[in-house]
Amino acid sequence: EHDSHSFIAGLIGGYYVFGENNNINQQIVLYVFARIMIGLAKLPVARRAIEEPNHTFPVFAAVHFPEKRKLIYCSRTVPEIEKALAELQNLMEYRESCGQNERFLGLGLTSRKNLCVHPKVSQEKWGKVLDAKCRNLTSSWVREKSKVYTREEVPLCNFYEQLEKTDLADLLPDGVYTLEDLREYCKENEYCPYYLARKMIPFANVVIYSYHYLLDPKVAELVSKELSKDCIIVFDEAHNIGLKAASQARDEDIFMANPVLPDDLLKEAVPGNIRKAEHFVNFMRRFIEYLKTRMRAQHVVAETPLSFLQHCKEVTYIERKPLSQRLMSLVRTLELTDLDEYYALHKVAAFATLVATYDTGTVQNSSHYIRYIISSRYVSKNAIFYGGRSGKLYHDSDEKLFLALGSDQVAISSKFEVRNDPAVVRNFGQILVEFSKIVPDGIVAFFPSYLYMESIVAMWNDMGILNEAWKHKLIFVETPDAAETSLALANYRKACDNGRGAILLSVARGKVSEGIDFDHNYGRAVIMFGVPYQYTESRILKARLEFLRENHKIRESDFLTFDAMRHAAQCVGRVLRGKTDYGLMIFADK
């Protein structure tokens, strides 16, 4: 049998078996074609022309398509966005070395807090405060006032003003810009990086940004509305859609945007009883007082929007009409700038609008967002959902270890009943100490929650376990504060590089568990202390479980177990980031 026989058989089989033009055959042929394209994309790696890229084959394949189509690459965290931009830079440098000189623009977009270069505004620690100060310098009515008053009386952002004066064709040369590259370029030319990136999105070949810029209809209306329908969209770590991406949408892009409302409602005239500003203020005061009364209840009441509105009408005589549009127009009319002071008012108005618009209330879920992607007028149906390591918890080739008993033969578990048992806590600590003695360089340990980690670490300190571990490695802890976590992570890497070795105590579902790679010496072992189940008393989780049970027939236990195993896979997958990497996976729970 020769290779030519397979080739001839493929031609005959393809013509007669898959020759009919129908939907099934189209999918099969497209799949085979995609495999061929990926094989061609891997040729430079096989011939050792370049190193194997990490998690960027969707980008690699899409950029090599002969059609000039925009690629939208959606990720979840800033480190993941930076990583994808760096890989795109390497790819384009290789193409240039092969003689393929072409006009190409690739850039990323993230929040003002990550991009701002203003010497005073960028010093703000909190995103909402920074966003408010940015608006105070860039809003249209402030800029109008500056034409009448002096700059001392009405200050403006010089970076934004310089951007507005420059012709669009001269703003950004071709190339691939990481977030840091964009900041440096804008510092040199005195442009605002955030608004420059937003202006250049329609002209870029590849755009890399967070999920919510595309999935949240309110944000997409502002950021992604000019995208063409033939865009190729890639969702990296797509299992996070609807669970985290939407809840982490940046407030600065959606503060005064409308909730998701039907078109006929958006075109509806403002009701006469709230058309005047004083009427609207009185209206809102009554509604807020009603909400205060409801929130003073000693127990949680779950009810439908119709029931809520009926009770509200009986108590306050408020009719069922939308409010958020009125609030938005009022803010514009009054030319307010310190919008962070009105954030709570907007939340109340948006809640009132939604509860008065929809008869059924459900927690935002992944199917809602996927339906929005497919039906949106902003994006195409060319969506690729890339799930990463969210499938099997482990593979046969991985070095894995399951620990069910401690050295004193006491069962170890993170169950609520025994999680603070001194024997269990001591065994967890001994596991950490013993592995710190024998594992070189870095060890990453994950806990189910911040509260549990704080409790365990405090008990370890009382038992002297931390002092034992310190003899072998330095210890760093992830906290909810992003700046503190970044500092701890930088020092952890430094300790791994200089040979001292380090332990990083982290939380599943935290900042470290996704988006941060612990490749090579940064992670020779990962320890999973307990199963990362969600907090089952959360009202949001209960509403989500109810929705899944009623609409998709998914049992609560099935979803919770699947979700916990998925996040465990994400955590332990942090240490194996390439075919040359190795490390231990330790699961400490019976």
Side-chain angles (χ1 to χ4, degrees):
E1 183 178 339
H2 300 286
D3 291 341
S4 59
H5 296 168
S6 300
F7 180 75
I8 295 171
L11 287 177
I12 297 172
Y15 185 84
Y16 287 103
V17 179
F18 303 107
E20 183 181 349
N21 189 5
N22 56 48
N23 292 335
I24 296 176
N25 287 347
Q26 283 181 12
Q27 293 296 319
I28 294 172
V29 172
L30 284 173
Y31 171 75
V32 174
F33 176 73
R35 292 296 300 267
I36 295 171
M37 292 300 296
I38 292 175
L40 293 174
K42 289 182 178 179
L43 272 180
V45 178
R47 296 181 178 179
R48 302 183 184 279
I50 61 172
E51 292 186 4
E52 183 178 4
N54 292 325
H55 306 296
T56 53
F57 277 115
V59 180
F60 194 88
V63 171
H64 276 71
F65 270 32
E67 301 176 65
K68 289 290 184 181
R69 299 168 68 184
K70 187 188 296 294
L71 173 69
I72 310 297
Y73 189 90
C74 299
S75 196
R76 190 174 73 88
T77 64
V78 173
E80 289 171 338
I81 293 172
E82 282 279 35
K83 238 180 337 186
L85 287 167
E87 291 291 349
L88 184 60
Q89 270 186 340
N90 295 336
L91 172 61
M92 297 313 296
E93 288 172 4
Y94 172 73
R95 287 173 65 87
E96 289 178 9
S97 68
C98 295
Q100 296 194 24
N101 296 318
E102 53 193 337
R103 297 199 61 183
F104 186 89
L105 178 61
L107 53 84
L109 176 64
T110 182
S111 65
R112 288 180 176 90
K113 189 176 186 303
N114 295 321
L115 290 177
C116 182
V117 294
H118 192 282
K120 292 184 178 179
V121 178
S122 61
Q123 299 303 312
E124 293 294 336
K125 181 179 180 181
W126 303 107
K128 289 180 184 177
V129 178
L130 186 146
D131 301 335
K133 289 193 173 183
C134 177
R135 291 192 196 94
N136 292 346
L137 300 176
T138 59
S139 60
S140 57
W141 46 82
V142 171
R143 298 178 68 214
E144 285 295 322
K145 284 183 182 179
S146 68
K147 297 176 182 178
V148 181
Y149 300 95
T150 63
R151 280 293 185 96
E152 288 73 21
E153 295 174 304
V154 182
L156 297 176
C157 176
N158 295 328
F159 296 92
Y160 183 79
E161 294 302 312
Q162 181 67 22
L163 179 68
E164 290 295 303
K165 293 176 185 175
T166 309
D167 185 72
L168 196 61
D170 302 326
L171 280 179
L172 195 63
D174 291 339
V176 179
Y177 297 83
T178 64
L179 299 180
E180 188 57 37
D181 292 339
L182 190 63
R183 282 171 52 88
E184 291 300 321
Y185 173 80
C186 289
K187 281 182 181 178
E188 294 174 5
N189 295 275
E190 295 190 355
Y191 296 150
C192 171
Y194 175 75
Y195 284 103
L196 173 61
R198 282 182 55 167
K199 278 179 176 287
M200 298 307 295
I201 281 177
F203 308 99
N205 300 89
V206 174
V207 179
I208 302 178
Y209 55 28
S210 184
Y211 297 142
H212 68 269
Y213 286 114
L214 193 66
L215 300 187
D216 191 308
K218 303 186 291 295
V219 184
E221 181 72 32
L222 300 173
V223 178
S224 305
K225 62 182 178 181
E226 296 184 11
L227 297 180
S228 59
K229 290 189 176 182
D230 63 345
C231 293
I232 298 172
I233 305 162
V234 178
F235 290 93
D236 190 20
E237 304 289 350
H239 56 278
N240 288 311
I241 295 177
L243 298 180
K244 291 185 179 179
S247 63
Q248 294 178 347
R250 290 286 298 151
D251 295 318
E252 80 276 9
D253 291 317
I254 64 174
F255 178 78
M256 279 295 132
N258 285 316
V260 188
L261 303 176
D263 290 337
D264 57 340
L265 185 60
L266 291 174
K267 295 174 183 176
E268 185 178 303
V270 176
N273 63 334
I274 61 170
R275 196 166 293 154
K276 291 185 178 181
E278 60 269 25
H279 294 165
F280 176 74
V281 171
N282 290 331
F283 186 87
M284 287 298 297
R285 186 179 290 117
R286 276 190 295 155
F287 187 68
I288 290 172
E289 288 300 324
Y290 172 74
L291 290 181
K292 285 182 180 178
T293 305
R294 294 298 302 267
M295 293 176 69
R296 291 192 192 105
Q298 298 297 316
H299 58 281
V300 178
V301 177
E303 59 185 337
T304 64
L306 290 176
S307 172
F308 176 87
L309 290 170
Q310 182 62 31
H311 187 268
C312 181
K313 183 178 178 180
E314 292 173 358
V315 175
T316 63
Y317 301 101
I318 291 177
E319 295 289 339
R320 177 177 176 170
K321 285 293 181 180
L323 301 175
S324 273
Q325 283 182 281
R326 183 69 186 95
L327 176 61
M328 183 175 63
S329 61
L330 184 66
V331 166
R332 288 175 177 168
T333 303
L334 298 178
E335 298 182 351
L336 301 176
T337 52
D338 296 319
L339 297 184
D340 57 322
E341 298 178 7
Y342 304 92
Y343 182 79
L345 181 62
H346 171 257
K347 285 293 185 185
V348 172
F351 168 75
T353 304
L354 290 172
V355 79
T357 304
Y358 296 104
D359 293 334
T360 57
T362 59
V363 175
Q364 293 175 337
N365 59 87
S366 59
S367 61
H368 164 79
Y369 289 101
I370 293 173
R371 285 200 302 273
Y372 176 73
I373 299 163
I374 301 303
S375 61
S376 172
R377 64 181 180 276
Y378 305 133
V379 300
S380 70
K381 296 182 180 180
N382 304 299
I384 302 170
F385 296 89
Y386 184 61
R389 195 184 171 86
S390 60
K392 290 181 66 176
L393 185 60
Y394 59 87
H395 298 275
D396 294 337
S397 59
D398 296 342
E399 294 297 331
K400 54 195 176 292
L401 181 64
F402 296 90
L403 301 178
L405 300 174
S407 57
D408 56 0
Q409 299 304 304
V410 173
I412 52 178
S413 172
S414 60
K415 289 180 66 174
F416 184 79
E417 295 81 3
V418 298
R419 59 171 45 187
N420 290 321
D421 187 315
V424 174
V425 174
R426 188 181 302 107
N427 280 323
F428 275 153
Q430 284 302 121
I431 290 170
L432 185 68
V433 170
E434 292 302 321
F435 278 103
S436 68
K437 293 178 182 178
I438 60 175
V439 174
D441 302 320
I443 296 176
V444 187
F446 287 100
F447 295 85
S449 67
Y450 283 109
L451 189 64
Y452 184 49
M453 180 175 71
E454 291 171 5
S455 172
I456 291 290
V457 171
M459 295 180 73
W460 281 351
N461 187 51
D462 295 338
M463 295 176 179
I465 290 173
L466 292 183
N467 290 330
E468 278 295 311
W470 265 320
K471 294 178 183 178
H472 310 285
K473 296 182 186 295
L474 299 179
I475 299 177
F476 301 94
V477 182
E478 176 190 359
T479 69
D481 185 85
E484 292 177 356
T485 299
S486 298
L487 183 61
L489 191 59
N491 288 324
Y492 169 83
R493 292 184 183 277
K494 191 181 296 183
C496 293
D497 288 334
N498 64 24
R500 177 65 174 85
I503 299 169
L504 181 64
L505 305 180
S506 311
V507 174
R509 309 171 198 278
K511 296 178 177 62
V512 171
S513 64
E514 292 188 35
I516 306 296
D517 289 348
F518 295 96
D519 53 340
H520 303 295
N521 64 313
Y522 297 128
R524 289 306 181 198
V526 58
I527 306 175
M528 192 80 228
F529 288 115
V531 182
Y533 284 106
Q534 292 193 56
Y535 176 56
T536 53
E537 295 302 311
S538 165
R539 296 172 192 171
I540 295 176
L541 177 61
K542 285 183 176 179
R544 178 178 292 138
L545 293 174
E546 182 181 352
F547 174 85
L548 292 173
R549 184 180 65 252
E550 293 179 357
N551 294 274
H552 299 288
K553 311 302 179 187
I554 298 175
R555 294 184 301 177
E556 288 90 338
S557 59
D558 291 344
F559 174 79
L560 291 172
T561 303
F562 164 76
D563 181 71
M565 293 301 103
R566 178 175 62 187
H567 280 90
Q570 285 293 125
C571 292
V572 298
R574 295 297 94 198
V575 299
L576 296 178
R577 310 308 297 174
K579 63 182 181 181
T580 60
D581 207 356
Y582 63 90
L584 279 171
M585 295 178 179
I586 300 115
F587 299 88
D589 197 305
K590 69 172 184 178

